[in-house]
Amino acid sequence: MAQNLYKKRALFIVGAVALAAVAYGSKATWLGGSTTAQTPPRPRPVSVAIARAEKKLVPIDVDAIGTVTPISSVALKSRVETTIVDVHFEDGARVKEGDLLFTLDARQIDAQIAQAEGTLARDKSQLALAERDLKRYTELIGKGATTQVNVDNAKTATDTAIATIQADQAILDNLKVQKSYTLIKAPISGRISAASVKVGNFVRPADTAPLATINQMAPVYVTFAIPQRVLSDLRDAMKAKQSSVLATLPGTGKSETGTIAMVENTVDPTTGMVTVRGIMGNERELLWPGILVNTTLTVRSEDAVTVPSVAVQRSQTGNFVFMIKDGKAHVQPVTISRTFQGNSVIDSGLEGNEDVVVDGQLLLSNGTPVEPRTRKAGA
């Protein structure tokens, strides 16, 4: 029994020593950990794309949908009853002022002109006879060889012959005017429509359908509507000759620039809009009468700070941008007045020349270290 008791005591001592060793090691670890542990690594900077806030002249624009209309549009009609002899143009072709378009049958009018010329020649002969009689009677009355009645009658015959000749000349001039109607020429330059008649068709002034229509193509009007709140600024810009309008074909990016030609004298009370008409050079014939275009009316330009619109973030407290300062991103509240060609115009919050983040904002918070990178072209 004494031997068993001795073994138990030995095992107890060994266990106690082991526990003491473990406890000592744990204490050493606790006491020495603060001096031997390394400082936690600093967070890696976030790679972001940046852009510079710029202060520059920014135009004040008003966008609207406009309609292209020709300045002049002429419907060609016949002024005499006759038939078409010839058509001198191709459908849809460009024509110049004075170009011959239609030739009408003029044989009947030619015959009437010949008759009027014969009548005029006969009456001129009658006038010559009357003038000779007047001259003879005037000489005889001086010699006492005739009476005053004969002189007066000769004078009356002469005046009658003169009046007849004037009437004959008027009839002849009228017939020549009628003949000029058989040659239909372009009164303006532009594009002509398809001819509604062909050679051999009978035409008359009472016809409702025109023979063809010519639309002036350069310049043209673009008509659109703007809100009445812009009217005062537009009128001031027109006085200073600073207003301009840009008409763009949807889906193509092609555009024409022009000036304001007219502002309607009333505002539509049901919509609060006023009609504006711009005049466009259209030398390339880009704008076709009747089409719809996107119009941009530039009222004036003003100095303003702009940043790319992708830099502007939104929160419950308002708009803000991440501004880069000392290698860190800082939240900068801003006020946006409007947008222009992918840029936001800043009313307050930036003075210009600040670097703002335009890509990578999702990984940022106030004070996050950043590493600027080159922004991709076209981004």
Side-chain angles (χ1 to χ4, degrees):
M1 291 181 66
Q3 187 176 2
N4 292 337
L5 183 60
Y6 178 78
K7 289 181 177 181
K8 289 181 179 180
R9 288 179 179 177
L11 290 173
F12 176 79
I13 293 172
V14 172
V17 172
L19 289 173
V22 172
Y24 180 81
S26 299
K27 182 179 179 181
T29 302
W30 276 50
L31 293 176
S34 61
T35 59
T36 59
Q38 296 181 354
T39 304
R42 299 179 61 184
R44 294 181 60 184
V46 178
S47 177
V48 295
I50 64 173
R52 183 65 57 88
E54 297 180 344
K55 189 171 185 179
K56 59 183 180 180
L57 279 176
V58 181
I60 297 178
D61 294 339
V62 179
D63 294 329
I65 301 297
T67 305
V68 180
T69 55
I71 293 179
S72 297
S73 182
V74 179
L76 303 174
K77 289 189 174 183
S78 174
R79 302 183 67 175
V80 293
E81 291 190 3
T82 184
T83 57
I84 301 292
V85 174
D86 202 356
V87 179
H88 302 278
F89 64 91
E90 295 182 358
D91 294 342
R94 282 188 58 87
V95 296
K96 295 181 180 180
E97 182 179 353
D99 286 351
L100 180 62
L101 304 178
F102 295 96
T103 300
L104 308 183
D105 187 1
R107 290 176 296 175
Q108 181 179 0
I109 297 178
D110 287 338
Q112 293 174 346
I113 289 176
Q115 181 181 5
E117 288 175 343
T119 302
L120 178 61
R122 181 197 62 193
D123 291 338
K124 285 183 176 180
S125 298
Q126 295 292 335
L127 174 61
L129 175 61
E131 287 176 341
R132 287 196 300 269
D133 289 343
L134 177 60
K135 181 180 179 181
R136 184 171 61 253
Y137 285 127
T138 301
E139 293 175 351
L140 291 175
I141 193 66
K143 299 177 182 179
T146 188
T147 62
Q148 185 64 38
V149 174
N150 291 332
V151 176
D152 294 340
N153 289 340
K155 180 68 170 60
T156 301
T158 300
D159 293 340
T160 301
I162 294 174
T164 301
I165 289 174
Q166 291 176 345
D168 293 341
Q169 187 63 53
I171 293 173
L172 180 60
D173 292 341
N174 179 60
L175 289 172
K176 289 181 178 180
V177 172
Q178 295 297 315
K179 182 178 180 179
S180 69
Y181 296 156
T182 63
L183 299 176
I184 300 178
K185 299 181 180 181
I188 61 173
S189 298
R191 288 274 180 182
I192 193 167
S193 67
S196 62
V197 294
K198 303 300 179 184
V199 174
N201 289 146
F202 180 77
V203 293
R204 56 184 180 175
D207 292 339
T208 56
L211 307 180
T213 301
I214 302 176
N215 286 333
Q216 181 177 337
M217 301 298 293
V220 295
Y221 286 139
V222 173
T223 305
F224 55 97
I226 62 172
Q228 60 183 7
R229 60 179 172 80
V230 187
L231 182 57
S232 178
D233 290 339
L234 175 59
R235 294 183 62 190
D236 292 341
M238 292 177 65
K239 291 179 181 179
K241 296 182 179 180
Q242 295 178 346
S243 61
S244 64
V245 60
L246 179 71
T248 305
L249 292 176
T252 66
K254 298 179 180 180
S255 60
E256 282 283 346
T257 303
T259 58
I260 300 301
M262 184 273 296
V263 177
E264 190 57 75
N265 59 0
T266 57
V267 176
D268 189 342
T270 60
T271 62
M273 307 291 281
V274 59
T275 300
V276 177
R277 179 181 292 168
I279 184 170
M280 325 297 286
N282 202 35
E283 287 80 7
R284 299 176 295 167
E285 293 189 359
L286 183 64
L287 305 179
W288 215 255
I291 66 173
L292 297 178
V293 293
N294 297 323
T295 61
T296 302
L297 171 64
T298 300
V299 179
R300 66 176 186 274
S301 297
E302 61 181 8
D303 280 322
V305 177
T306 64
V307 296
S309 295
V310 293
V312 180
Q313 305 295 300
R314 293 167 179 81
S315 67
Q316 294 180 349
T317 58
N319 296 321
F320 68 93
V321 297
F322 283 106
M323 185 173 64
I324 305 302
K325 187 176 181 181
D326 299 329
K328 295 182 179 180
H330 298 275
V331 174
Q332 176 62 46
V334 294
T335 302
I336 307 299
S337 63
R338 55 193 174 88
T339 59
F340 170 73
Q341 294 182 355
N343 292 324
S344 295
V345 179
I346 307 298
D347 263 354
S348 62
L350 296 175
E351 300 296 330
N353 256 3
E354 298 92 346
D355 289 328
V356 296
V357 178
V358 294
D359 186 34
Q361 296 98 322
L362 293 178
L363 301 176
L364 301 180
S365 61
N366 195 29
T368 302
V370 295
E371 181 179 8
R373 56 181 164 84
T374 305
R375 190 184 184 195
K376 294 181 179 180

